[in-house]
Amino acid sequence: MKPVPSWPSLPPGGVPIMQPRRRAPSQIALWGLMGVIGMLFSLMLVAYVMRMSQGDWRPLPPVNALWVNTGVLAAACIVMQSSASQARHGELRRSRRDWVLAGVLAIAFVAGQLWVWRDLTVRQLGVAGNPANSFFFLLTGLHALHLLGGLAAWACLLPHRLAHATRARRLSLTAQYWHFLFVLWVALFAAVVNLTPEIAQRLCGTGGVSP
């Protein structure tokens, strides 16, 4: 005998009240993690702008490879989202293929960052050169560290031992984290490329102070 479905209680007006949809604990935990990481990088960017407004700041020369790395990370996020969407629709083979490709692109991004750091060091623009160099290595290194954490989550989903529903949910959560890391990288990249000491001085209210 099939169980009789339970309907929500009727209010005095006679219209059923829909119960609010509860978020999964894993989704709430992910939001909390992204909130903490976002606050950390926000504070780092504030310190970056404040330090840039000082007179001894010597900006880094243009690093064209960062544009390529940004495109690679964007491609990784797109392919990862495709994998999560295909898993929800039952396209498991295509989902696994895209998942592997997304990880390869993410590893390529990390390799590109390592190349940028090595190139700057060879050009005598290492971490100890001046405050601009130090902040660049700090911000990009901290971002790469969180990205390696995302790669660990990616690697855990490579085996096929999970049930379909569980795998689809975890793919979606991991993809959300990668999208967050991409937005974070865009903010860091914009700060490194577009911010100048003059803009920082206006933001900090020190535009009239001579270096």
Side-chain angles (χ1 to χ4, degrees), residues 86-155:
Q86 289 166 2
R88 286 196 301 270
H89 292 88
E91 299 287 343
L92 299 184
R93 180 175 297 180
R94 295 177 62 187
S95 175
R96 293 190 185 105
R97 180 199 63 193
D98 283 355
W99 193 253
V100 171
L101 177 58
V104 171
L105 289 169
I107 293 172
F109 173 81
V110 176
Q113 295 294 80
L114 289 173
W115 187 90
V116 168
W117 298 334
R118 179 182 178 279
D119 179 64
L120 289 175
T121 303
V122 169
R123 294 161 59 187
Q124 305 299 319
L125 297 171
V127 64
N130 72 81
N133 301 8
S134 302
F135 265 98
F136 176 82
F137 280 90
L138 175 62
L139 293 173
T140 57
L142 195 58
H143 179 267
L145 184 63
H146 286 87
L147 196 142
L148 289 176
L151 274 174
W154 166 83

Side-chain angles (χ1 to χ4, degrees), residues 22-38:
R22 294 183 178 179
R23 296 290 182 180
S26 55
Q27 180 69 73
I28 297 174
L30 177 62
W31 286 343
L33 174 64
M34 292 189 299
V36 171
I37 296 174

Side-chain angles (χ1 to χ4, degrees), residues 31-112:
W31 286 343
L33 174 64
M34 292 189 299
V36 171
I37 296 174
M39 288 298 297
L40 170 64
F41 277 92
S42 296
L43 293 174
M44 296 295 294
L45 284 175
V46 170
Y48 177 80
V49 173
M50 293 179 65
R51 187 63 183 84
M52 183 187 289
S53 65
Q54 302 301 313
D56 60 344
W57 187 275
R58 297 191 301 277
L60 283 170
V63 184
N64 295 328
L66 291 179
W67 290 95
V68 178
N69 292 350
T70 302
V72 170
L73 186 58
C77 291
I78 293 172
V79 178
M80 193 168 289
Q81 181 60 44
S82 173
S83 175
S85 299
Q86 289 166 2
R88 286 196 301 270
H89 292 88
E91 299 287 343
L92 299 184
R93 180 175 297 180
R94 295 177 62 187
S95 175
R96 293 190 185 105
R97 180 199 63 193
D98 283 355
W99 193 253
V100 171
L101 177 58
V104 171
L105 289 169
I107 293 172
F109 173 81
V110 176

